[in-house]
Amino acid sequence: MRIRLLGYLVFIFVFSHASIAVAQQKLLTIDDIYDPVKKVNFSGTVPGIRWLKDGKHYLLTNEASRTDVPRLQKVDAVSGVATAFFDNAKMQAALRGVGLKEQDAKELANRSTYEFSHNDTAVLLNSNNDLFYYSLGSDKAIRVTSNAEEEVGETFSPDDHLLGYVRGNNIYVYDLAAQQERKLTTDGAPKILNGRLDWVYQEELYGRGNFEAYWWSPDSTKLAYLRFDENPVHEFTVVDHIPYHQTLEVTAYPKAGDPSPIVQLGVVDAAGGATRWVDTQKYQPKDFLIVRVTWTPDGKQVVYQAQNREQTFLDLNSANSQDGKSNTILSESSRPWVDVLDNPTWLVDGSFLWLSERSGWQHIYHYAADGKLIKQVTDGKWEADSIDGVDQDKGLVYFSGSEHSHIAPNSYRVKFDGTGFTRLTASEGSHKLIFNAAMNFFIDNWSDVNTPTQTRLYDIDGKLVRVINENKAEALKQYKLGTAELLQVKTRDGFPMEAMMIRPPDFDASKKYPVLEFTYSGPHAPQVKNAWAGNAYMWHQMMAQKGYIIWICDNRTASGKGAESAWPVYKNMGPLELRDLEDGLTWLKSQPYVDGDRIGLWGWSYGGFMTSYALTHSQSFKMGIAGGTLADQRDYDTIYTERYMQTPQHNPEGYRNSSPRFSAKDLHGKLLLIHGAIDDNVHVQNTIQFAYELQKAGKQFQLMLYPKSRHGVTDPLLVKHMRQMMTDYILQNL
C-alpha cells in the first residue's frame, strides 16, 4: 500500500509540473502587449488610493470596468470595510440641474479623480471650459462660470470658502457663500500670463500638465502669483497635417541661448486690490528664474527660490507679503549646476527641513528660521530622495532613499538630530509609501523586476496590518519568460554601473546571441530598477524570446548615484555617456555567449539623442532606433539645456560637439528615426534637420512619423504599429 501511494504521489508531482510547464510555454506577441482589444493585462490592477483627512480611512478608486462596486469608495484602512464615498446619482441629478447634458453629468459623476476641497466634502469640476462646484451628498450644484473662455488651474482656498482659477491669463476668485466672482488681475493678454505657467516653466520646473502659477496664503486672504511677460520669447509653430485645413499650434518656446520670459512675483488680496510686487532688484530680469514659491505657515512671508538662467546658484528668499521687501535665507551654489529640489518642510518652531545636493549626494538638512544650519540630518554615499512625512511630536522625519539600494527606493525614518536611523521597508524591491495624517499607518506600493505592484497596509513601525491587494497577475504565469538578472559592471576607471540582462528563455551558453540594448543616458535618470516596468518590460521579454539578449546599463551620469556622478556631463553631452556604454559592452563582449558583431541600441528622447550620437561617434553598434531625437542641442529649451550646457554663447563648441546632426557623415550601422509629428517638446524639426544632413552625406536610413503624436506615441493603434515596426526592423537588421 505504501509503495502504491508513493507511486501515486510521484504521478501527481510529475503531472502537476508537466501542467505548469505547458502553462508557461506561451510566447508573447505584439497583440498580447499592445493591441487595444486583444492585449493581456500583465500588470494586474493597482488600486488608486489616497488617505482621507481622518487618518482612519482611505479613498479607493475602482476600475471603470467594474459595475459591482462604486467608482469611489471610502475604506476603513484596518478592517477593509468599504462604502460608497458619495451618491453618484445625486451628483448627476444636481449637475443636470445647472444645465449640463445628461451624458456630461454622468461622466462627471463617475470620474476616477476630482479636485477635492481640503476637507474632502466638496469637488470642483471642469467641464467644457466651465467650472462647477458640488458639495458631496447635496441636491444642488453651483455653476461657477458660464462663458466660452477656458478656465485652468482651478483650486480651493485653504479654508474651502473660495475658489481660484485663471481665465484669459487673469486670476479670478469665486466666493462660494456670495456666489460672486472677483477679478484679481487685469492686464492678462496672449503674451502676459498672470497666475498661469508658460510652456517652459511647466515642462522644466513645476510639472507637465500643471498650469497653476499662484499660491494661496494659509489663511486664504492672499494669493502669491507669477506674472510672465512672453513678449521677448520666440514662437514655435507645430503643424497638424491631418485636417484638410492644417491646425497651427503657436507656442512661446525659448530655445537655448534665446530670450526667456520675464518673470515677476506678486501678492494680491483675495478680496481684490492692487498687486504688491516682491522686490527682486538684486537679480537681472533677463537672467532670472523663480523656480519655487510657497508661504511661511503664519502667512506673513512669501518664500521663493531664485536662480540665474544657467542655474549655477539657488537662493531661498522670503518676502514680506505687505511691502514686498525681500531677504535671502540661504544660498546654494555649484561649479556645474544646482538642481531644484523642493520647498522647505516647515516645523512648528519656525525651523525647516531642506533637501540639498551640496555634498554631491542629496540629503536632509535642518535649518533655523533665520537660515542658520542646525544639523545635517542624513549623510553618506546615497540619496535622500524625498521627505514623505514628519511626526513633529516625536521629532521624526520619514523619507524615501537609496541607502539600502541604488536601484530600488526604500523608506526610512530618522530623528531631526540625525539619530535613530531606521529602515521601515524590509523586503527587496522598490517601495512607495503613503502616510496618513496621524503618522501611525502607511500604505506601501511594492514591486520588483519580476513582480507587478502589490499594495499593503503597515503600522508606523513597519508591522504588516493587512494585504490590500496582492495583485497576483495570473496572466504572467502562462508565458515563457527569460530571467531578468541585475548586476554591476565597472567602467575603465572603476565606476560601478548598474545593469540588467534578460537572456532568452531557452538560453544555451554554448551559443552566441545578438544583443539589443536600451538606453536613456540622461543626467540623473536611471533605467535599471528593481521594479516592475509594465509593457516596456514585456516587449523586451518578447524580443528575448526571439533570440536576443536584452541589455540595459546605466552610464554614470544617468545612474542616480548622487549629483557628483551627473556633474561630469557638464558642458559636453555625449562623449562620457558613450564611453561608459562602450565599457559596458566591453564586459558584455567578454561573455562567451555574446555575438559582439550584432549589437543594437535603442532609446527615446535623451535616449534617442544618445542612440543618434552613438551611431555617429562609434562603430560598436550594428543598428539603432532613435525616437524623439534631440539632434541639435540648440533646438531644445533654455531651462533644461542651459542647466547642463550653459548658453550657446558661453559654450559654442560644446553645443556643436554634442549635436548628432553635425556628425551625420560619420553614421555607422543601420538607423531608424521615429518622431511624433506634433511633438511640442522635442520638435520634429530635430529629426528633419538630422535627416537632411544624413541625406546630404549620402547616408541611408529609415524614418517613421506618427501624426497627432507628441513626444510620446500614445494612441493605442499607433503604439501597436510602432512596436511592430520596431520589432520587424530589429529582426531584419540585427
Side-chain angles (χ1 to χ4, degrees):
M1 181 69 178
R2 290 176 61 191
I3 295 175
R4 290 178 63 190
L5 178 59
L6 178 62
Y8 179 71
L9 291 176
V10 169
F11 172 77
I12 291 291
F13 177 82
V14 172
F15 180 79
S16 63
H17 276 66
S19 298
I20 292 171
V22 170
Q24 293 178 330
Q25 289 303 306
K26 290 182 70 173
L27 297 180
L28 291 158
T29 68
I30 289 291
D31 281 355
D32 291 336
I33 307 171
Y34 294 112
D35 187 85
V37 177
K38 301 175 183 177
K39 65 181 178 182
V40 177
N41 182 10
F42 292 110
S43 297
T45 301
V46 181
I49 289 177
R50 75 168 181 86
W51 285 101
L52 295 174
K53 297 297 187 295
D54 65 7
K56 298 178 181 179
H57 297 83
Y58 59 79
L59 185 64
L60 172 66
T61 304
N62 290 303
E63 292 289 316
S65 59
R66 292 191 63 180
T67 57
D68 58 325
V69 291
R71 192 73 196 279
L72 296 180
Q73 289 182 293
K74 179 181 179 179
V75 182
D76 183 289
V78 174
S79 70
V81 174
T83 57
F85 186 60
F86 64 87
D87 188 328
N88 301 65
K90 267 194 170 185
M91 182 193 280
Q92 193 170 331
L95 292 172
R96 286 200 311 270
V98 290
L100 277 175
K101 296 178 180 178
E102 177 72 29
Q103 187 57 39
D104 291 337
K106 183 177 181 180
E107 185 273 325
L108 290 175
N110 290 277
R111 278 186 175 176
S112 59
T113 59
Y114 292 93
E115 180 70 31
F116 281 99
S117 61
H118 293 84
N119 60 12
D120 292 323
T121 63
V123 294
L124 181 55
L125 305 160
N126 195 324
S127 177
N128 297 318
N129 291 337
D130 275 320
L131 298 176
F132 302 84
Y133 169 89
Y134 177 68
S135 179
L136 300 177
S138 65
D139 295 318
K140 292 184 178 180
I142 298 174
R143 185 173 192 129
V144 177
T145 64
S146 182
N147 56 73
E149 291 185 89
E150 175 189 40
E151 282 88 17
V152 298
E154 60 272 13
T155 63
F156 283 90
S157 63
D159 64 8
D160 292 330
H161 295 162
L162 302 171
L163 308 175
Y165 46 92
V166 176
R167 182 172 70 240
N169 290 332
N170 282 310
I171 303 172
Y172 292 78
V173 297
Y174 185 88
D175 188 318
L176 287 166
Q179 295 191 23
Q180 186 175 25
E181 180 183 83
R182 288 193 293 273
K183 187 176 184 178
L184 301 187
T185 64
T186 58
D187 65 339
K191 291 185 177 294
I192 301 294
L193 283 61
N194 292 298
R196 176 171 180 161
L197 293 170
D198 76 331
W199 186 91
V200 71
Y201 265 69
Q202 183 182 145
E203 174 68 24
E204 304 298 358
L205 293 173
Y206 290 90
R208 189 178 301 173
N210 174 28
F211 291 98
E212 297 162 37
Y214 68 89
W215 297 265
W216 290 96
S217 63
D219 63 3
S220 303
T221 63
K222 298 179 287 293
L223 296 90
Y225 72 95
L226 297 181
R227 178 186 185 272
F228 295 98
D229 181 352
E230 300 269 55
N231 281 290
V233 182
H234 293 291
E235 294 181 336
F236 192 91
T237 302
V238 170
V239 182
D240 183 355
H241 290 278
I242 298 305
Y244 284 113
H245 302 288
Q246 296 164 312
T247 302
L248 304 184
E249 186 177 280
V250 182
T251 305
Y253 187 105
K255 294 195 174 192
D258 288 346
S260 288
I262 304 298
V263 63
Q264 294 174 276
L265 176 61
V267 178
V268 64
D269 291 336
T275 292
R276 303 180 291 278
W277 298 105
V278 169
D279 180 5
T280 59
Q281 288 187 6
K282 66 181 288 188
Y283 307 105
Q284 295 298 316
K286 295 180 180 180
D287 189 31
F288 179 42
L289 305 172
I290 299 178
V291 298
R292 288 291 184 274
V293 180
T294 188
W295 290 83
T296 53
D298 62 10
K300 294 180 180 179
Q301 299 283 322
V302 179
V303 177
Y304 65 100
Q305 297 179 39
Q307 290 191 282
N308 59 327
R309 64 181 291 165
E310 290 185 346
Q311 298 152 74
T312 56
F313 71 81
L314 183 149
D315 291 340
L316 178 67
N317 299 317
S318 67
N320 186 290
S321 64
Q322 295 303 318
D323 61 20
K325 290 183 179 178
S326 187
N327 71 284
T328 299
I329 302 171
L330 64 85
S331 294
E332 301 272 2
S333 61
S334 171
R335 182 188 62 81
W337 68 85
V338 179
D339 261 323
V340 183
L341 299 178
D342 210 346
N343 281 315
T345 299
W346 304 106
L347 305 179
V348 290
D349 62 359
S351 66
F352 60 91
L353 300 174
W354 176 252
L355 288 171
S356 171
E357 294 179 323
R358 68 187 62 164
S359 69
W361 295 83
Q362 184 172 309
H363 282 292
I364 303 170
Y365 296 78
H366 185 192
Y367 275 91
D370 63 0
K372 181 180 179 181
L373 179 64
I374 299 172
K375 179 71 176 179
Q376 181 174 345
V377 181
T378 63
D379 193 14
K381 297 289 186 179
W382 53 273
E383 301 266 87
D385 296 322
S386 62
I387 295 173
D388 300 325
V390 173
D391 187 330
Q392 304 221 31
D393 294 335
K394 296 180 180 178
L396 292 169
V397 55
Y398 293 80
F399 65 96
S400 176
S402 61
E403 184 270 344
H404 177 70
S405 170
H406 290 296
I407 61 172
N410 278 258
S411 285
Y412 307 83
R413 73 179 173 209
V414 66
K415 292 183 179 179
F416 296 161
D417 64 4
T419 64
F421 184 92
T422 304
R423 180 181 165 203
L424 295 177
T425 44
S427 56
E428 295 299 319
S430 296
H431 298 263
K432 176 62 178 176
L433 270 56
I434 312 168
F435 292 88
N436 68 344
M439 298 301 296
N440 59 348
F441 290 109
F442 63 81
I443 292 167
D444 180 16
N445 286 306
W446 168 87
S447 73
D448 66 18
V449 69
N450 297 307
T451 313
T453 302
Q454 300 178 357
T455 307
R456 295 175 173 85
L457 174 72
Y458 294 86
D459 70 18
I460 201 63
D461 293 317
K463 180 181 177 182
L464 179 65
V465 176
R466 186 169 67 87
V467 176
I468 294 175
N469 180 30
E470 194 172 2
N471 194 24
K472 293 182 178 180
E474 298 290 345
L476 277 173
K477 300 176 183 178
Q478 302 173 27
Y479 289 82
K480 188 177 184 180
L481 303 180
T483 301
E485 178 185 359
L486 298 168
L487 63 154
Q488 282 190 342
V489 178
K490 288 189 176 181
T491 63
R492 66 192 70 180
D493 57 357
F495 185 90
M497 297 187 293
E498 305 294 337
M500 183 176 78
M501 180 192 296
I502 305 174
R503 305 184 194 193
D506 292 325
F507 177 75
D508 182 346
S510 67
K511 295 182 179 179
K512 285 190 175 290
Y513 294 89
V515 175
L516 177 63
E517 179 173 8
F518 169 72
T519 193
Y520 182 76
S521 293
H524 235 342
Q527 301 301 300
V528 178
K529 301 174 184 178
N530 191 9
W532 180 247
N535 284 348
Y537 174 74
M538 297 308 295
W539 183 75
H540 279 141
Q541 282 282 0
M542 187 190 80
M543 297 310 297
Q545 290 176 348
K546 295 182 183 298
Y548 297 93
I549 288 175
I550 304 303
W551 178 247
I552 306 174
C553 182
D554 283 329
N555 52 290
R556 77 189 71 197
T557 57
S559 67
K561 294 181 178 179
E564 68 177 24
S565 69
W567 286 338
V569 81
Y570 194 47
K571 299 198 297 183
N572 200 16
M573 289 176 161
L576 180 57
E577 298 99 304
L578 178 58
R579 194 184 83 179
D580 284 353
L581 293 181
E582 290 191 314
D583 284 354
L585 292 184
T586 298
W587 178 88
L588 197 63
K589 290 177 182 179
S590 72
Q591 308 309 302
Y593 48 81
V594 169
D595 185 345
D597 294 326
R598 297 172 64 199
I599 297 176
L601 182 67
W602 87 275
W604 201 277
S605 194
Y606 200 104
F609 151 72
M610 198 62 230
T611 300
S612 300
Y613 185 90
L615 266 69
T616 52
H617 290 78
S618 167
Q619 297 189 10
S620 296
F621 302 96
K622 184 179 181 184
M623 177 226 78
I625 300 176
T629 298
L630 179 66
D632 188 336
Q633 300 295 338
R634 271 284 284 113
D635 282 336
Y636 203 49
D637 71 61
T638 49
I639 294 177
Y640 182 91
T641 313
E642 293 172 7
R643 178 186 304 146
Y644 305 119
M645 295 289 291
Q646 298 185 331
T647 62
Q649 293 86 340
H650 290 162
N651 183 25
E653 185 177 349
Y655 270 78
R656 185 174 182 86
N657 292 341
S658 297
S659 299
R661 70 181 287 200
F662 299 117
S663 301
K665 64 180 177 57
D666 299 319
L667 178 69
H668 176 84
K670 301 287 186 178
L671 177 62
L672 168 63
L673 298 173
I674 309 173
H675 220 114
I678 58 168
D679 190 337
D680 61 340
N681 185 351
V682 179
H683 301 129
V684 71
Q685 175 190 42
N686 283 271
T687 287
I688 300 300
Q689 289 174 343
F690 191 27
Y692 183 48
E693 297 302 327
L694 290 167
Q695 290 163 349
K696 289 191 296 181
K699 296 293 183 177
Q700 296 299 318
F701 63 96
Q702 291 189 28
L703 169 65
M704 180 63 71
L705 299 179
Y706 283 96
K708 291 193 171 294
S709 295
R710 295 196 183 272
H711 195 44
V713 179
T714 57
D715 182 311
L717 291 174
L718 301 191
V719 171
K720 178 183 174 182
H721 180 279
M722 180 180 73
R723 290 291 182 167
Q724 183 66 64
M725 176 196 62
M726 291 171 63
T727 302
D728 295 343
Y729 190 82
I730 293 164
L731 292 172
Q732 292 164 8
N733 294 285
L734 192 61

